[in-house]
Amino acid sequence: VSTALSIPVLLYSPFIQSLLNFSMPAFSGSSLIVPVFSVIVFLYGGIPFLRMGRDELEDREPGMMALISLAIFVAFTYSMASLFLSGTSSFFWELVTLIDVMLLGHWIEMRSVRKASGALEELKKLMPDTAEKITEEGTEEVKVSELEEGDKVLVRPGDSIPVDGKVYDGESSVDESMITGESKPVDKSEGDEVIGGTVNKEGSLRIEVTLTGDETTLSGIMNLVEEAQESESRSQKLADKAAGWLFYIALGSGLVTGAAWTLAVGFGLTTVERVVTVLVIACPHALGLAVPLVIAINTSMAAQNGILIRERIAMEEARKLDTVVFDKTGTLTEGEQSVVDMEADDEKEALRKMAAAEYDSEHMIAHAIRKEAEERVLKVPGSSCFNSISGKGVKAQVEGKEVYVGGPNLLEHLGVEKKFGEFTDESGEKGRTVVYLVEEDGVTAAVALADKIRDESREAVEKLQSRGLEVAMLTGDSEDVAESVAQELGIDTYFAEVLPEDKDSKIQELQDQDKRVSMVGDGVNDAPALTRADVGIAIGSGTDVAVESADIILVKNDPLAVVKLLNLSDLNYSKMVQNLFWATGYNALAIPLAAGVAAPVGIML
């Protein structure tokens, strides 16, 4: 509305007409177009700024609104006085365009915030309104809000998963990109957890509901992003402070300008015009946009990449880090036993028999062996007469023959001679667990198991070190295990055999060396260390996003996301500095020119 009303003001302003060498048709009352429309724009578009400016002055904290109010109030008062005293329209066209630019700026800022909030609204839309609940009679369509923990739902191919839950039947791949930033579909089968709002791809899944309503991952993500958008950062305070100083600089410059021109030419219209010009031109509305725009976009972009910012200051501080400490288990490693090495007369045949013998066992070693056989796509034969030998291993009938699987205690129990000694010794030095396959001919295979290092961990450590950061590792594991993992990843500093309650003291130890430290952990048993660190990062918290101890939460369990976070922090800072430079830099030139320092050589603003 203000822009539409400003167009006639510009067209009928004598200065604009002379500048662009055109004239507008005159008619009865045309001389009133400029002042009348300007007054309307001031009262309609300018009053909101004056109200907010008054609040800042009442709080004795002049900032952006006070600076804007000063500019438009002075321009309006001077123009009205000029109109009645000398009949000139003076600063009316500058007044309306100043208000228009400021309103435009706020519209851009609000649109940016709406865009960031819009990303959240889009996330909300991912959650379907209804779900196919499984009942004794079959299935029935119910509202998602009616589902309770323990209910079972059917998710067909192409449908959105309605709630957080656990797969109890079926296999499929799920598109989680909108939640975790993971571009590839993630395979899901029995026992795997799924996130509400993600999209089921090929197969049907039957899911048991574990979380509903505000407890779901999606709700947690939206709450965290909203908190981050509302939290005020140090940079925002800096922008307000800069505007406050500029307010005083403008007043001071105006007084000096008025005094100087009065002494030079006497008090008159020219002197008042110079003072008004200084006060009007000192208003850099871009300063008010420089920080909020970057922060709003940064918060939204981070969320789209699975990085949830609880504290904006943490995002700004991340670029200053010089040490990143990783918890080992579940962060740098997968957090479960996996087959990492093997030696056998026939690896495939041995692994088939071991997986068959361990088929009925619930032990984590049995799970690791079965998983390895599955990943190698081996056809595992059936087994019978399963028997667990307490503390030693298992025994079973596989393809009509007796087979044993277990550790050194099993070999001692059976009186069987050890084999693969060099393999066993090397594995022991690396802190790995070794289990053997024993058949009629004795030991025929040895398998080394360990908490497998994530493929992404190596790349993450290399990239962090290439940025000049020191990478350290914390673990409750033995010295041998910690040293082995550290060597494999190229980590120089590690702390072994550390209890969860002692982790924060290790962070303090590094901070006492004047290091700015980030702790990266799972956000549960690492809570004290996450709180102690300069920047606490909870990783892999896709199903527990409201980790109160962390400043930043990475939805995806991927150490590389830490590198992405630091890159985003660098970009965030460089863009803020760039914006603040352009938003305030021109004042250094414009205010002196407005004051008339170059008047002797014919340059006047």
Side-chain angles (χ1 to χ4, degrees):
V1 170
S2 294
T3 303
L5 292 171
S6 300
I7 293 171
V9 175
L10 291 171
L11 292 175
Y12 277 90
S13 291
F15 177 79
I16 299 295
Q17 290 182 10
S18 64
L19 186 71
L20 301 178
N21 195 25
F22 74 96
S23 60
M24 293 296 291
F27 54 88
S28 177
S30 61
S31 60
L32 295 175
I33 287 177
V34 171
V36 169
F37 279 46
S38 296
V39 169
I40 296 171
V41 171
F42 176 75
L43 294 176
Y44 183 58
I47 289 296
F49 293 110
L50 295 175
R51 287 201 190 106
M52 290 185 282
R54 179 195 62 198
D55 293 341
E56 286 184 354
L57 293 174
E58 284 179 354
D59 293 337
R60 296 183 182 179
E61 290 185 357
M64 188 56 60
M65 295 304 111
L67 194 56
I68 294 168
S69 300
L70 177 67
I72 62 174
F73 178 75
V74 167
F76 176 76
T77 306
Y78 174 74
S79 299
M80 291 301 289
S82 297
L83 179 68
F84 288 108
L85 295 175
S86 63
T88 61
S89 58
S90 194
F91 274 15
F92 280 124
W93 76 269
E94 291 95 329
L95 169 68
V96 296
T97 51
L98 192 58
I99 290 171
D100 292 341
V101 168
M102 290 166 189
L103 289 173
L104 172 64
H106 275 271
W107 178 78
I108 291 171
E109 182 180 351
M110 289 300 103
R111 189 184 68 160
S112 171
V113 173
R114 278 199 305 272
K115 241 181 177 178
S117 301
L120 301 180
E121 292 303 317
E122 289 303 312
L123 282 177
K124 280 183 185 174
K125 291 176 187 175
L126 295 173
M127 197 68 85
D129 295 324
T130 60
E132 203 169 340
K133 183 179 176 181
I134 297 171
T135 62
E136 291 180 1
E137 292 77 30
T139 62
E140 64 170 320
E141 192 172 281
V142 298
K143 289 182 178 179
V144 170
S145 57
E146 294 174 5
L147 290 173
E148 297 177 355
E149 188 178 335
D151 285 346
K152 293 177 170 62
V153 294
L154 171 64
V155 184
R156 300 182 188 276
D159 287 350
S160 291
I161 294 171
V163 286
D164 287 15
K166 186 174 280 190
V167 177
Y168 72 88
D169 186 34
E171 290 184 1
S172 185
S173 59
V174 174
D175 180 2
E176 296 183 342
S177 58
M178 66 291 297
I179 304 290
T180 66
E182 170 61 71
S183 56
K184 296 177 185 174
V186 180
D187 292 333
K188 299 289 181 182
S189 57
E190 188 178 337
D192 290 336
E193 293 180 340
V194 291
I195 303 171
T198 55
V199 181
N200 184 28
K201 303 295 276 186
E202 299 97 359
S204 291
L205 293 174
R206 285 172 171 76
I207 296 165
E208 183 178 339
V209 178
T210 55
L211 295 172
T212 59
D214 293 337
E215 295 178 345
T216 62
T217 299
L218 197 58
S219 295
I221 289 172
M222 290 188 287
N223 290 338
L224 283 173
V225 177
E226 283 169 353
E227 277 179 31
Q229 285 176 349
E230 288 167 8
S231 71
E232 193 172 45
S233 75
R234 195 168 288 137
S235 294
Q236 274 180 297
K237 290 175 182 174
L238 178 68
D240 284 336
K241 194 174 281 187
W245 280 108
L246 206 51
F247 175 81
Y248 291 118
I249 289 169
L251 284 178
S253 300
L255 288 171
V256 171
T257 300
W261 278 87
T262 300
L263 288 171
V265 299
F267 184 78
L269 189 62
T270 303
T271 299
V272 176
E273 186 181 73
R274 286 301 94 213
V275 173
V276 172
T277 304
V278 166
L279 295 177
V280 171
I281 211 163
C283 177
H285 190 63
L287 181 64
L289 299 177
V291 173
L293 271 175
V294 175
I295 289 173
I297 293 169
N298 186 54
T299 305
S300 178
M301 187 180 290
Q304 290 164 11
N305 283 276
I307 301 170
L308 309 179
I309 304 166
R310 290 189 70 241
E311 294 292 338
R312 285 183 179 175
I313 288 176
M315 174 57 88
E316 294 168 28
E317 293 295 311
R319 67 181 185 83
K320 301 176 186 175
L321 295 171
D322 50 39
T323 305
V324 178
V325 180
F326 285 96
D327 175 55
K328 179 185 80 70
T329 306
T331 303
L332 292 173
T333 65
E334 292 181 352
E336 59 182 31
Q337 291 287 309
S338 301
V339 174
V340 292
D341 204 356
M342 184 175 183
E343 193 160 317
D345 300 330
D346 183 339
E347 280 195 16
K348 287 185 179 178
E349 187 64 22
L351 196 57
R352 281 177 69 249
K353 290 176 180 176
M354 292 177 85
E358 296 277 21
Y359 191 80
D360 289 336
S361 175
E362 289 301 316
H363 197 278
M364 61 180 179
I365 287 176
H367 176 74
I369 290 171
R370 291 198 301 267
K371 185 180 176 185
E372 181 69 15
E374 189 180 309
E375 287 176 357
R376 294 197 189 193
V377 199
L378 300 179
K379 190 173 181 182
V380 178
S383 62
S384 59
C385 302
F386 173 82
N387 185 28
S388 176
I389 306 169
S390 181
K392 297 176 178 67
V394 300
K395 177 180 78 170
Q397 288 281 334
V398 179
E399 295 178 330
K401 294 181 180 179
E402 204 166 67
V403 168
Y404 293 85
V405 178
N409 289 343
L410 176 70
L411 302 188
E412 193 177 317
H413 172 72
L414 297 173
V416 176
E417 190 180 335
K418 276 189 180 181
K419 198 178 174 184
F420 310 115
E422 191 178 330
F423 175 83
T424 303
D425 292 342
E426 283 181 9
S427 297
E429 287 172 9
K430 293 179 179 178
R432 295 171 176 174
T433 301
V434 179
V435 294
Y436 303 92
L437 171 65
V438 181
E439 299 182 80
E440 291 175 347
D441 301 329
V443 179
T444 57
V447 171
L449 299 106
D451 189 359
K452 192 175 180 182
I453 294 172
R454 297 180 185 278
D455 294 334
E456 305 91 347
S457 297
R458 294 178 180 84
E459 190 180 348
V461 171
E462 285 173 10
K463 286 188 173 180
L464 289 170
Q465 289 173 338
S466 69
R467 291 174 62 100
L469 276 78
E470 179 186 349
V471 179
M473 183 182 76
L474 273 176
T475 179
D477 285 344
S478 67
E479 181 77 21
D480 289 342
V481 173
E483 186 180 6
S484 171
V485 173
Q487 283 180 352
E488 199 166 339
L489 291 174
I491 294 174
D492 296 324
T493 306
Y494 65 88
F495 304 95
E497 300 176 12
V498 182
L499 297 173
E501 58 267 27
D502 295 331
K503 287 182 178 179
D504 68 319
S505 65
K506 297 299 179 184
I507 300 297
Q508 181 70 59
E509 217 175 280
L510 293 167
Q511 290 172 328
D512 289 342
Q513 300 169 26
D514 291 329
K515 293 178 178 177
R516 299 187 70 83
V517 183
S518 172
M519 171 66 189
V520 185
D522 63 13
V524 182
N525 62 1
D526 298 317
L530 288 167
T531 305
R532 174 80 63 185
D534 295 289
V535 177
I537 302 172
I539 191 169
S541 301
T543 55
D544 185 21
V545 290
V547 183
E548 294 300 321
S549 53
D551 303 308
I552 295 170
I553 295 163
L554 308 178
V555 176
K556 190 180 169 191
N557 204 336
D558 179 2
L560 274 172
V562 178
V563 180
K564 193 183 287 187
L565 164 67
L566 296 180
N567 290 338
L568 202 55
S569 178
D570 285 343
L571 290 167
N572 180 60
Y573 178 74
S574 64
K575 185 57 67 175
M576 272 187 196
V577 170
Q578 187 187 98
N579 282 8
L580 286 169
F581 173 80
W582 288 111
T584 59
Y586 73 92
N587 283 76
L589 178 68
I591 290 177
L593 289 176
V597 295
V601 294
I603 298 175
M604 293 275 278
L605 288 181

